[in-house]
Amino acid sequence: MPDTTGGPLAGLRILELGHFVAAPFCTRLLGDLGADVIKVEPPGAGDPVRQWGARHKGQSAWWSVHGRNKRCITLDLKKPRAREIVLRLVGESDALVENFRPGQLDRLGFSEAALREARPDLVIARISGYGQDGPQRDRAAFGVIGEAIGGLRHLTNHAPGTTDLPPVRTGISIGDSVAGIYAAFGLMAALWRRDATRHGDGRGRSLDVALTESILSLLEGALPEYGALGTVRQPTGGGIATAAPTNAYRSRDGQWVLIAANSDPLFQKLATLMGRPGMAEEPGYRGNQARCANVAALDAEIGAWTALHEAAELERMLAAADIPATRAYTAADCAADEQFRHRGMVREVEDSTLGPMLHPGIVPLLPDDPGAIRWAGPPVGAHNDEVFGGLLGLSEGEIAKMRQEGVC
Amino acid sequence: MPDTTGGPLAGLRILELGHFVAAPFCTRLLGDLGADVIKVEPPGAGDPVRQWGARHKGQSAWWSVHGRNKRCITLDLKKPRAREIVLRLVGESDALVENFRPGQLDRLGFSEAALREARPDLVIARISGYGQDGPQRDRAAFGVIGEAIGGLRHLTNHAPGTTDLPPVRTGISIGDSVAGIYAAFGLMAALWRRDATRHGDGRGRSLDVALTESILSLLEGALPEYGALGTVRQPTGGGIATAAPTNAYRSRDGQWVLIAANSDPLFQKLATLMGRPGMAEEPGYRGNQARCANVAALDAEIGAWTALHEAAELERMLAAADIPATRAYTAADCAADEQFRHRGMVREVEDSTLGPMLHPGIVPLLPDDPGAIRWAGPPVGAHNDEVFGGLLGLSEGEIAKMRQEGVC
């Protein structure tokens, strides 16, 4: 049994039939807050994320984080014996999180009816590219495609006409991650309704979270603006259409420094710092509206000034003048940040395979009951004996037979 | 009283002392799933988001979505009478969501001790730029600054050396929104622990969600890779460092079309579609590793082909060849998408102020208990009488006095 060192979800058991990013990210969040997460992987190489990104000692560094706090077991879901085991695990679980292609679990013998027969009040969180129904449900779920359909990729670009370069990816699997957080939220909402003393109804519920829809939900007023006014939100590069100056400016040492001085008092401070105190009174820059109208010239002036100073020097000067600013943090900057360190948001974790590793901390932070990083992402099948034997009560002989027959 | 037409959170009451994006986004999610959200705004103009973005009939279209399902009341928190009223509302609420600057609510007389005296088992969700403690807690919380500190802005850029243009903003308030979802998740985790029949302890808990940390938590393996290997994750523009081809390519009619053909079978299909079936066997393009090494040339070849066809034609051809692809959706494309429409993720909502408006649907979707968009963002103070009178039982005379004295 895991050492449940607290967190609000201690006592909750979650079964993960997941892979790649979305479902495992959802269960990482649940495990961070104390849930007992049992992750089912195919025997052999396991979840492909174990091989993704830069490797350290032959293993993905990402996996150290992605798999933390999970009990990892292997089962070949195509084998009847594995199906029996999964349904027994369902019987011992509060919720299931999965991100197979819609319909695939049904075909493997895990229809909702079968799952609920094993555990009538099971909460089922399904995550997919486009949702469990509808004309596009069978479409292949690629993150970059889903983010583009959700409307994000159109916006992560410079203003039309600025460049021939394509719109950028956010650089991370943002659609999968946001879908994963939404699934964690919905799962807890369903569990609250199931379990609450006063409001609970004892019923299991199902969630159907789509990557595309998770992104669409973040688009502020883009949809109602289009519906009411016919205006189509366009990308605005490093800036914001309705506020200036706010952008990233290059320092002498080639770093990007964000400066957000888009109120009159902040702009006055910036103008003074730039040695141009009168600038805030020039007709072209007086008031936010004028500054937005002349933002290209304004950004060029600020950029000419930042190019004279190193990033660290700019940060010091801007902070002393109380102007919101920062360099664009790299992973190295994140790792060194005193605030992240103070709050345990960058911390060293002992990984039994990799040794000491840097992990991001637990979000959301509950200061009085924070949960813990109990262990880093474990090897494939590390908890087979513990789960099959300890939790389900199978004998050593039964487990050996499963291994022999390729069930686990 | 609101018409609680279901959703898993019906019966839950949330008090919002919020403004701008993060806290109101959190409560939008809770309200969408059925919670009774009471939002407190300053008398007069109310939440500044009511004026943000494109306006329709003098009101922000965004507000129609951002304020939906909320009961909006006004209170001048600096007035002692307003403080009394807020504490009475706290007494009637399960949870409080706030995003004032750290320490500001304390100064207004709403310390955690005062809040818990009014409601001992209150769950308190605090959202801020950098967290409630630590050396940087008092820093001004600007979204673009927080996203840069979280490590995202560095990555939303083209590869080093590609362009002098700055890294782009994602185009939306991604940091605030992600923090808002995390807060909703944490809040439900805390409520589950408080209320669950078997695992509940009856205790209120506090959450401390920071925008910077919410972003940092999404950075995949960037932090452990840096810690273990010293490698600093760099931006990769429209592509992915470890997979090719996957990028956005310009169509003849100037749209960006995403194509993700980064497996050998998919690339073979693409090569055939391009009329270059032998391309997949050329040494420079054979296997993902070779394609990644020659990605610039490969992307140029694909771009030369896409430039011959209109986006709609490319989408048809690529879909017929079963290659994951899509145009980068604008808000207009999202509004027209059959899958979004089928699943209620783009829907018409009658706004009592603005008339029919397009809203994004409810995420996460619980097909059997989905919650509802009961009403669109209401006018400032629309529910003063209902909440002060109906919920707290104040007389008409008492409410009139509050109005007269500028309390509400």
PDB file of all heavy atoms in Angstrom, chain A residues 8 10 130 136 164 173 193 195 197 208 213 220 250 339 343 365, chain B residues 8 10 130 136 164 173 193 195 197 208 213 220 250 339 343 365:
ATOM      1  N   PRO A   8      -5.810  16.226   0.252  1.00  0.00           N
ATOM      2  CA  PRO A   8      -7.266  16.113   0.388  1.00  0.00           C
ATOM      3  C   PRO A   8      -7.847  14.870  -0.268  1.00  0.00           C
ATOM      4  O   PRO A   8      -8.971  14.493   0.046  1.00  0.00           O
ATOM      5  CB  PRO A   8      -7.774  17.394  -0.290  1.00  0.00           C
ATOM      6  CG  PRO A   8      -6.668  17.821  -1.186  1.00  0.00           C
ATOM      7  CD  PRO A   8      -5.402  17.401  -0.506  1.00  0.00           C
ATOM      8  N   ALA A  10      -6.507  11.771  -0.190  1.00  0.00           N
ATOM      9  CA  ALA A  10      -6.086  10.507   0.419  1.00  0.00           C
ATOM     10  C   ALA A  10      -7.322   9.648   0.670  1.00  0.00           C
ATOM     11  O   ALA A  10      -8.342  10.137   1.159  1.00  0.00           O
ATOM     12  CB  ALA A  10      -5.349  10.771   1.726  1.00  0.00           C
ATOM     13  N   TYR A 130     -11.952  14.886 -29.781  1.00  0.00           N
ATOM     14  CA  TYR A 130     -13.121  15.624 -30.279  1.00  0.00           C
ATOM     15  C   TYR A 130     -14.400  15.248 -29.560  1.00  0.00           C
ATOM     16  O   TYR A 130     -15.459  15.768 -29.911  1.00  0.00           O
ATOM     17  CB  TYR A 130     -13.265  15.358 -31.783  1.00  0.00           C
ATOM     18  CG  TYR A 130     -11.954  15.523 -32.511  1.00  0.00           C
ATOM     19  CD1 TYR A 130     -11.116  14.426 -32.761  1.00  0.00           C
ATOM     20  CD2 TYR A 130     -11.503  16.782 -32.877  1.00  0.00           C
ATOM     21  CE1 TYR A 130      -9.887  14.587 -33.371  1.00  0.00           C
ATOM     22  CE2 TYR A 130     -10.267  16.957 -33.485  1.00  0.00           C
ATOM     23  CZ  TYR A 130      -9.468  15.854 -33.726  1.00  0.00           C
ATOM     24  OH  TYR A 130      -8.231  16.022 -34.312  1.00  0.00           O
ATOM     25  N   GLN A 136     -17.412  13.853 -35.930  1.00  0.00           N
ATOM     26  CA  GLN A 136     -15.941  13.842 -36.001  1.00  0.00           C
ATOM     27  C   GLN A 136     -15.300  12.998 -34.902  1.00  0.00           C
ATOM     28  O   GLN A 136     -14.090  13.070 -34.696  1.00  0.00           O
ATOM     29  CB  GLN A 136     -15.409  15.281 -35.899  1.00  0.00           C
ATOM     30  CG  GLN A 136     -15.854  16.197 -37.021  1.00  0.00           C
ATOM     31  CD  GLN A 136     -15.174  15.857 -38.345  1.00  0.00           C
ATOM     32  OE1 GLN A 136     -14.035  15.431 -38.358  1.00  0.00           O
ATOM     33  NE2 GLN A 136     -15.890  16.019 -39.445  1.00  0.00           N
ATOM     34  N   ASP A 164       6.046  35.936 -42.941  1.00  0.00           N
ATOM     35  CA  ASP A 164       5.607  34.732 -43.648  1.00  0.00           C
ATOM     36  C   ASP A 164       5.807  33.482 -42.800  1.00  0.00           C
ATOM     37  O   ASP A 164       5.433  32.381 -43.227  1.00  0.00           O
ATOM     38  CB  ASP A 164       6.394  34.576 -44.957  1.00  0.00           C
ATOM     39  CG  ASP A 164       5.865  35.515 -46.031  1.00  0.00           C
ATOM     40  OD1 ASP A 164       4.649  35.807 -45.992  1.00  0.00           O
ATOM     41  OD2 ASP A 164       6.650  35.950 -46.879  1.00  0.00           O
ATOM     42  N   SER A 173       2.315  20.724 -24.753  1.00  0.00           N
ATOM     43  CA  SER A 173       1.069  20.045 -25.130  1.00  0.00           C
ATOM     44  C   SER A 173      -0.096  20.671 -24.380  1.00  0.00           C
ATOM     45  O   SER A 173      -0.733  20.036 -23.542  1.00  0.00           O
ATOM     46  CB  SER A 173       1.188  18.554 -24.827  1.00  0.00           C
ATOM     47  OG  SER A 173       1.740  18.364 -23.537  1.00  0.00           O
ATOM     48  N   ARG A 193     -20.718  15.062  -5.866  1.00  0.00           N
ATOM     49  CA  ARG A 193     -22.158  14.803  -5.982  1.00  0.00           C
ATOM     50  C   ARG A 193     -22.484  13.364  -5.550  1.00  0.00           C
ATOM     51  O   ARG A 193     -23.521  13.090  -4.966  1.00  0.00           O
ATOM     52  CB  ARG A 193     -22.615  15.043  -7.420  1.00  0.00           C
ATOM     53  CG  ARG A 193     -24.018  14.562  -7.733  1.00  0.00           C
ATOM     54  CD  ARG A 193     -25.078  15.282  -6.922  1.00  0.00           C
ATOM     55  NE  ARG A 193     -25.141  16.694  -7.275  1.00  0.00           N
ATOM     56  CZ  ARG A 193     -25.851  17.601  -6.603  1.00  0.00           C
ATOM     57  NH1 ARG A 193     -26.563  17.256  -5.552  1.00  0.00           N
ATOM     58  NH2 ARG A 193     -25.829  18.861  -6.970  1.00  0.00           N
ATOM     59  N   ASP A 195     -20.729  11.517  -3.321  1.00  0.00           N
ATOM     60  CA  ASP A 195     -20.363  11.163  -1.948  1.00  0.00           C
ATOM     61  C   ASP A 195     -20.811  12.125  -0.864  1.00  0.00           C
ATOM     62  O   ASP A 195     -20.734  11.779   0.327  1.00  0.00           O
ATOM     63  CB  ASP A 195     -18.830  11.031  -1.832  1.00  0.00           C
ATOM     64  CG  ASP A 195     -18.286   9.873  -2.665  1.00  0.00           C
ATOM     65  OD1 ASP A 195     -19.082   8.978  -3.023  1.00  0.00           O
ATOM     66  OD2 ASP A 195     -17.073   9.870  -2.958  1.00  0.00           O
ATOM     67  N   THR A 197     -22.374  14.181   2.028  1.00  0.00           N
ATOM     68  CA  THR A 197     -23.349  13.783   3.031  1.00  0.00           C
ATOM     69  C   THR A 197     -24.724  14.378   2.756  1.00  0.00           C
ATOM     70  O   THR A 197     -25.736  13.681   2.786  1.00  0.00           O
ATOM     71  CB  THR A 197     -22.874  14.262   4.428  1.00  0.00           C
ATOM     72  OG1 THR A 197     -21.543  13.813   4.613  1.00  0.00           O
ATOM     73  CG2 THR A 197     -23.768  13.705   5.523  1.00  0.00           C
ATOM     74  N   ASP A 208     -17.099  13.535 -20.410  1.00  0.00           N
ATOM     75  CA  ASP A 208     -16.706  13.402 -21.806  1.00  0.00           C
ATOM     76  C   ASP A 208     -15.966  14.691 -22.173  1.00  0.00           C
ATOM     77  O   ASP A 208     -16.564  15.675 -22.594  1.00  0.00           O
ATOM     78  CB  ASP A 208     -17.987  13.191 -22.619  1.00  0.00           C
ATOM     79  CG  ASP A 208     -17.782  13.203 -24.118  1.00  0.00           C
ATOM     80  OD1 ASP A 208     -16.648  13.410 -24.574  1.00  0.00           O
ATOM     81  OD2 ASP A 208     -18.796  13.018 -24.826  1.00  0.00           O
ATOM     82  N   GLU A 213     -12.562  21.179 -27.301  1.00  0.00           N
ATOM     83  CA  GLU A 213     -13.532  21.967 -26.538  1.00  0.00           C
ATOM     84  C   GLU A 213     -12.884  22.612 -25.321  1.00  0.00           C
ATOM     85  O   GLU A 213     -13.286  23.705 -24.898  1.00  0.00           O
ATOM     86  CB  GLU A 213     -14.691  21.061 -26.131  1.00  0.00           C
ATOM     87  CG  GLU A 213     -15.430  20.505 -27.341  1.00  0.00           C
ATOM     88  CD  GLU A 213     -16.311  19.308 -27.067  1.00  0.00           C
ATOM     89  OE1 GLU A 213     -16.383  18.857 -25.903  1.00  0.00           O
ATOM     90  OE2 GLU A 213     -16.927  18.806 -28.026  1.00  0.00           O
ATOM     91  N   GLU A 220     -11.955  33.529 -24.334  1.00  0.00           N
ATOM     92  CA  GLU A 220     -12.470  34.819 -23.872  1.00  0.00           C
ATOM     93  C   GLU A 220     -13.737  35.191 -24.633  1.00  0.00           C
ATOM     94  O   GLU A 220     -14.679  34.412 -24.694  1.00  0.00           O
ATOM     95  CB  GLU A 220     -11.392  35.892 -24.030  1.00  0.00           C
ATOM     96  CG  GLU A 220     -10.099  35.534 -23.331  1.00  0.00           C
ATOM     97  CD  GLU A 220      -9.002  36.540 -23.584  1.00  0.00           C
ATOM     98  OE1 GLU A 220      -9.108  37.336 -24.515  1.00  0.00           O
ATOM     99  OE2 GLU A 220      -8.015  36.535 -22.808  1.00  0.00           O
ATOM    100  N   ARG A 250      13.993  43.064 -26.905  1.00  0.00           N
ATOM    101  CA  ARG A 250      15.273  42.362 -26.850  1.00  0.00           C
ATOM    102  C   ARG A 250      16.291  43.187 -26.058  1.00  0.00           C
ATOM    103  O   ARG A 250      16.427  44.381 -26.244  1.00  0.00           O
ATOM    104  CB  ARG A 250      15.796  42.148 -28.273  1.00  0.00           C
ATOM    105  CG  ARG A 250      17.003  41.255 -28.335  1.00  0.00           C
ATOM    106  CD  ARG A 250      16.691  39.880 -28.866  1.00  0.00           C
ATOM    107  NE  ARG A 250      16.551  39.888 -30.311  1.00  0.00           N
ATOM    108  CZ  ARG A 250      16.514  38.772 -31.054  1.00  0.00           C
ATOM    109  NH1 ARG A 250      16.603  37.574 -30.471  1.00  0.00           N
ATOM    110  NH2 ARG A 250      16.361  38.826 -32.346  1.00  0.00           N
ATOM    111  N   GLN A 339      11.266  32.600  -5.729  1.00  0.00           N
ATOM    112  CA  GLN A 339       9.859  32.450  -5.341  1.00  0.00           C
ATOM    113  C   GLN A 339       9.386  31.010  -5.555  1.00  0.00           C
ATOM    114  O   GLN A 339       8.739  30.424  -4.695  1.00  0.00           O
ATOM    115  CB  GLN A 339       8.992  33.431  -6.153  1.00  0.00           C
ATOM    116  CG  GLN A 339       7.498  33.383  -5.873  1.00  0.00           C
ATOM    117  CD  GLN A 339       7.093  34.064  -4.560  1.00  0.00           C
ATOM    118  OE1 GLN A 339       7.931  34.591  -3.829  1.00  0.00           O
ATOM    119  NE2 GLN A 339       5.811  34.011  -4.248  1.00  0.00           N
ATOM    120  N   ARG A 343       8.327  28.385  -2.420  1.00  0.00           N
ATOM    121  CA  ARG A 343       6.997  27.779  -2.339  1.00  0.00           C
ATOM    122  C   ARG A 343       7.001  26.288  -2.692  1.00  0.00           C
ATOM    123  O   ARG A 343       5.942  25.686  -2.828  1.00  0.00           O
ATOM    124  CB  ARG A 343       6.027  28.561  -3.225  1.00  0.00           C
ATOM    125  CG  ARG A 343       5.700  29.924  -2.590  1.00  0.00           C
ATOM    126  CD  ARG A 343       4.880  30.832  -3.471  1.00  0.00           C
ATOM    127  NE  ARG A 343       3.692  30.239  -4.013  1.00  0.00           N
ATOM    128  CZ  ARG A 343       2.498  30.160  -3.398  1.00  0.00           C
ATOM    129  NH1 ARG A 343       2.364  30.647  -2.189  1.00  0.00           N
ATOM    130  NH2 ARG A 343       1.459  29.606  -3.993  1.00  0.00           N
ATOM    131  N   LEU A 365      -1.904  24.396  -4.651  1.00  0.00           N
ATOM    132  CA  LEU A 365      -1.291  24.286  -3.332  1.00  0.00           C
ATOM    133  C   LEU A 365      -2.352  24.441  -2.240  1.00  0.00           C
ATOM    134  O   LEU A 365      -3.092  25.414  -2.220  1.00  0.00           O
ATOM    135  CB  LEU A 365      -0.230  25.385  -3.196  1.00  0.00           C
ATOM    136  CG  LEU A 365       0.423  25.559  -1.819  1.00  0.00           C
ATOM    137  CD1 LEU A 365       1.217  24.322  -1.413  1.00  0.00           C
ATOM    138  CD2 LEU A 365       1.343  26.788  -1.824  1.00  0.00           C
TER     139      LEU A 365
ATOM    140  N   PRO B   8     -23.883  18.585 -11.621  1.00  0.00           N
ATOM    141  CA  PRO B   8     -23.409  17.912 -10.405  1.00  0.00           C
ATOM    142  C   PRO B   8     -23.208  18.851  -9.220  1.00  0.00           C
ATOM    143  O   PRO B   8     -23.147  18.387  -8.095  1.00  0.00           O
ATOM    144  CB  PRO B   8     -22.082  17.282 -10.848  1.00  0.00           C
ATOM    145  CG  PRO B   8     -21.653  18.054 -12.040  1.00  0.00           C
ATOM    146  CD  PRO B   8     -22.915  18.492 -12.728  1.00  0.00           C
ATOM    147  N   ALA B  10     -25.257  21.389  -8.356  1.00  0.00           N
ATOM    148  CA  ALA B  10     -26.482  22.015  -7.847  1.00  0.00           C
ATOM    149  C   ALA B  10     -26.539  21.847  -6.336  1.00  0.00           C
ATOM    150  O   ALA B  10     -26.253  20.759  -5.811  1.00  0.00           O
ATOM    151  CB  ALA B  10     -27.702  21.384  -8.512  1.00  0.00           C
ATOM    152  N   TYR B 130       1.592  35.300  -7.962  1.00  0.00           N
ATOM    153  CA  TYR B 130       2.813  34.604  -7.545  1.00  0.00           C
ATOM    154  C   TYR B 130       2.630  33.801  -6.260  1.00  0.00           C
ATOM    155  O   TYR B 130       3.594  33.196  -5.787  1.00  0.00           O
ATOM    156  CB  TYR B 130       3.939  35.630  -7.361  1.00  0.00           C
ATOM    157  CG  TYR B 130       4.023  36.577  -8.530  1.00  0.00           C
ATOM    158  CD1 TYR B 130       3.368  37.809  -8.516  1.00  0.00           C
ATOM    159  CD2 TYR B 130       4.694  36.206  -9.689  1.00  0.00           C
ATOM    160  CE1 TYR B 130       3.396  38.657  -9.616  1.00  0.00           C
ATOM    161  CE2 TYR B 130       4.728  37.040 -10.796  1.00  0.00           C
ATOM    162  CZ  TYR B 130       4.076  38.262 -10.755  1.00  0.00           C
ATOM    163  OH  TYR B 130       4.094  39.089 -11.852  1.00  0.00           O
ATOM    164  N   GLN B 136       8.261  37.290  -3.464  1.00  0.00           N
ATOM    165  CA  GLN B 136       7.677  38.008  -4.605  1.00  0.00           C
ATOM    166  C   GLN B 136       6.165  38.143  -4.514  1.00  0.00           C
ATOM    167  O   GLN B 136       5.521  38.515  -5.497  1.00  0.00           O
ATOM    168  CB  GLN B 136       8.037  37.274  -5.907  1.00  0.00           C
ATOM    169  CG  GLN B 136       9.518  37.186  -6.198  1.00  0.00           C
ATOM    170  CD  GLN B 136      10.111  38.533  -6.591  1.00  0.00           C
ATOM    171  OE1 GLN B 136       9.464  39.354  -7.195  1.00  0.00           O
ATOM    172  NE2 GLN B 136      11.364  38.754  -6.208  1.00  0.00           N
ATOM    173  N   ASP B 164      13.778  38.219 -35.934  1.00  0.00           N
ATOM    174  CA  ASP B 164      13.961  39.222 -34.894  1.00  0.00           C
ATOM    175  C   ASP B 164      12.655  39.587 -34.205  1.00  0.00           C
ATOM    176  O   ASP B 164      12.648  40.381 -33.268  1.00  0.00           O
ATOM    177  CB  ASP B 164      14.583  40.495 -35.494  1.00  0.00           C
ATOM    178  CG  ASP B 164      16.077  40.324 -35.725  1.00  0.00           C
ATOM    179  OD1 ASP B 164      16.716  39.552 -34.979  1.00  0.00           O
ATOM    180  OD2 ASP B 164      16.610  40.955 -36.658  1.00  0.00           O
ATOM    181  N   SER B 173      -5.767  34.936 -22.400  1.00  0.00           N
ATOM    182  CA  SER B 173      -5.251  35.042 -21.030  1.00  0.00           C
ATOM    183  C   SER B 173      -5.056  33.638 -20.465  1.00  0.00           C
ATOM    184  O   SER B 173      -5.722  33.229 -19.509  1.00  0.00           O
ATOM    185  CB  SER B 173      -6.212  35.859 -20.177  1.00  0.00           C
ATOM    186  OG  SER B 173      -7.557  35.452 -20.407  1.00  0.00           O
ATOM    187  N   ARG B 193     -13.257  16.330   0.340  1.00  0.00           N
ATOM    188  CA  ARG B 193     -12.687  15.912   1.625  1.00  0.00           C
ATOM    189  C   ARG B 193     -13.518  16.421   2.794  1.00  0.00           C
ATOM    190  O   ARG B 193     -13.652  15.744   3.817  1.00  0.00           O
ATOM    191  CB  ARG B 193     -11.239  16.433   1.730  1.00  0.00           C
ATOM    192  CG  ARG B 193     -10.612  16.301   3.107  1.00  0.00           C
ATOM    193  CD  ARG B 193     -10.481  14.865   3.561  1.00  0.00           C
ATOM    194  NE  ARG B 193      -9.532  14.140   2.719  1.00  0.00           N
ATOM    195  CZ  ARG B 193      -9.342  12.824   2.745  1.00  0.00           C
ATOM    196  NH1 ARG B 193     -10.034  12.074   3.572  1.00  0.00           N
ATOM    197  NH2 ARG B 193      -8.474  12.251   1.950  1.00  0.00           N
ATOM    198  N   ASP B 195     -16.844  17.023   2.726  1.00  0.00           N
ATOM    199  CA  ASP B 195     -18.240  16.571   2.756  1.00  0.00           C
ATOM    200  C   ASP B 195     -18.461  15.078   2.583  1.00  0.00           C
ATOM    201  O   ASP B 195     -19.580  14.605   2.814  1.00  0.00           O
ATOM    202  CB  ASP B 195     -19.035  17.287   1.643  1.00  0.00           C
ATOM    203  CG  ASP B 195     -19.138  18.788   1.872  1.00  0.00           C
ATOM    204  OD1 ASP B 195     -18.912  19.222   3.023  1.00  0.00           O
ATOM    205  OD2 ASP B 195     -19.421  19.516   0.902  1.00  0.00           O
ATOM    206  N   THR B 197     -19.104  11.248   2.713  1.00  0.00           N
ATOM    207  CA  THR B 197     -19.670  10.434   3.785  1.00  0.00           C
ATOM    208  C   THR B 197     -18.601   9.604   4.484  1.00  0.00           C
ATOM    209  O   THR B 197     -18.506   9.563   5.702  1.00  0.00           O
ATOM    210  CB  THR B 197     -20.738   9.481   3.202  1.00  0.00           C
ATOM    211  OG1 THR B 197     -21.637  10.266   2.441  1.00  0.00           O
ATOM    212  CG2 THR B 197     -21.488   8.758   4.299  1.00  0.00           C
ATOM    213  N   ASP B 208      -4.134  27.993  -2.480  1.00  0.00           N
ATOM    214  CA  ASP B 208      -3.272  29.123  -2.804  1.00  0.00           C
ATOM    215  C   ASP B 208      -2.721  28.866  -4.211  1.00  0.00           C
ATOM    216  O   ASP B 208      -1.685  28.235  -4.379  1.00  0.00           O
ATOM    217  CB  ASP B 208      -2.176  29.173  -1.724  1.00  0.00           C
ATOM    218  CG  ASP B 208      -1.088  30.185  -1.990  1.00  0.00           C
ATOM    219  OD1 ASP B 208      -1.129  30.859  -3.039  1.00  0.00           O
ATOM    220  OD2 ASP B 208      -0.179  30.287  -1.130  1.00  0.00           O
ATOM    221  N   GLU B 213       2.787  29.459 -11.226  1.00  0.00           N
ATOM    222  CA  GLU B 213       2.962  28.041 -10.915  1.00  0.00           C
ATOM    223  C   GLU B 213       2.031  27.165 -11.739  1.00  0.00           C
ATOM    224  O   GLU B 213       2.374  26.027 -12.080  1.00  0.00           O
ATOM    225  CB  GLU B 213       2.732  27.834  -9.415  1.00  0.00           C
ATOM    226  CG  GLU B 213       3.762  28.589  -8.580  1.00  0.00           C
ATOM    227  CD  GLU B 213       3.372  28.790  -7.124  1.00  0.00           C
ATOM    228  OE1 GLU B 213       2.291  28.331  -6.719  1.00  0.00           O
ATOM    229  OE2 GLU B 213       4.151  29.428  -6.401  1.00  0.00           O
ATOM    230  N   GLU B 220       5.825  19.988 -19.172  1.00  0.00           N
ATOM    231  CA  GLU B 220       6.282  18.642 -19.533  1.00  0.00           C
ATOM    232  C   GLU B 220       7.596  18.313 -18.832  1.00  0.00           C
ATOM    233  O   GLU B 220       7.692  18.415 -17.612  1.00  0.00           O
ATOM    234  CB  GLU B 220       6.435  18.558 -21.058  1.00  0.00           C
ATOM    235  CG  GLU B 220       5.176  18.939 -21.798  1.00  0.00           C
ATOM    236  CD  GLU B 220       5.365  18.945 -23.305  1.00  0.00           C
ATOM    237  OE1 GLU B 220       6.501  18.950 -23.777  1.00  0.00           O
ATOM    238  OE2 GLU B 220       4.344  18.950 -24.017  1.00  0.00           O
ATOM    239  N   ARG B 250       1.102  27.340 -45.506  1.00  0.00           N
ATOM    240  CA  ARG B 250       0.195  28.341 -46.076  1.00  0.00           C
ATOM    241  C   ARG B 250      -0.486  27.784 -47.326  1.00  0.00           C
ATOM    242  O   ARG B 250       0.158  27.205 -48.205  1.00  0.00           O
ATOM    243  CB  ARG B 250       0.988  29.584 -46.441  1.00  0.00           C
ATOM    244  CG  ARG B 250       0.094  30.739 -46.835  1.00  0.00           C
ATOM    245  CD  ARG B 250       0.013  31.809 -45.776  1.00  0.00           C
ATOM    246  NE  ARG B 250       1.205  32.630 -45.738  1.00  0.00           N
ATOM    247  CZ  ARG B 250       1.293  33.758 -45.042  1.00  0.00           C
ATOM    248  NH1 ARG B 250       0.257  34.211 -44.348  1.00  0.00           N
ATOM    249  NH2 ARG B 250       2.406  34.455 -45.032  1.00  0.00           N
ATOM    250  N   GLN B 339     -19.043  19.609 -35.515  1.00  0.00           N
ATOM    251  CA  GLN B 339     -18.817  18.833 -34.295  1.00  0.00           C
ATOM    252  C   GLN B 339     -19.104  19.672 -33.052  1.00  0.00           C
ATOM    253  O   GLN B 339     -19.768  19.196 -32.127  1.00  0.00           O
ATOM    254  CB  GLN B 339     -17.365  18.319 -34.275  1.00  0.00           C
ATOM    255  CG  GLN B 339     -16.981  17.486 -33.054  1.00  0.00           C
ATOM    256  CD  GLN B 339     -17.525  16.060 -33.081  1.00  0.00           C
ATOM    257  OE1 GLN B 339     -18.220  15.651 -34.031  1.00  0.00           O
ATOM    258  NE2 GLN B 339     -17.235  15.309 -32.046  1.00  0.00           N
ATOM    259  N   ARG B 343     -22.294  18.906 -30.395  1.00  0.00           N
ATOM    260  CA  ARG B 343     -22.076  18.642 -28.978  1.00  0.00           C
ATOM    261  C   ARG B 343     -22.474  19.815 -28.069  1.00  0.00           C
ATOM    262  O   ARG B 343     -22.194  19.795 -26.869  1.00  0.00           O
ATOM    263  CB  ARG B 343     -20.615  18.247 -28.760  1.00  0.00           C
ATOM    264  CG  ARG B 343     -20.353  16.833 -29.288  1.00  0.00           C
ATOM    265  CD  ARG B 343     -18.885  16.440 -29.279  1.00  0.00           C
ATOM    266  NE  ARG B 343     -18.224  16.614 -28.004  1.00  0.00           N
ATOM    267  CZ  ARG B 343     -18.258  15.750 -26.990  1.00  0.00           C
ATOM    268  NH1 ARG B 343     -18.938  14.630 -27.106  1.00  0.00           N
ATOM    269  NH2 ARG B 343     -17.599  15.999 -25.874  1.00  0.00           N
ATOM    270  N   LEU B 365     -18.005  18.196 -20.059  1.00  0.00           N
ATOM    271  CA  LEU B 365     -19.344  17.727 -20.390  1.00  0.00           C
ATOM    272  C   LEU B 365     -19.674  16.470 -19.581  1.00  0.00           C
ATOM    273  O   LEU B 365     -18.928  15.495 -19.604  1.00  0.00           O
ATOM    274  CB  LEU B 365     -19.405  17.416 -21.888  1.00  0.00           C
ATOM    275  CG  LEU B 365     -20.678  16.748 -22.418  1.00  0.00           C
ATOM    276  CD1 LEU B 365     -21.888  17.653 -22.241  1.00  0.00           C
ATOM    277  CD2 LEU B 365     -20.510  16.380 -23.897  1.00  0.00           C
TER     278      LEU B 365
END
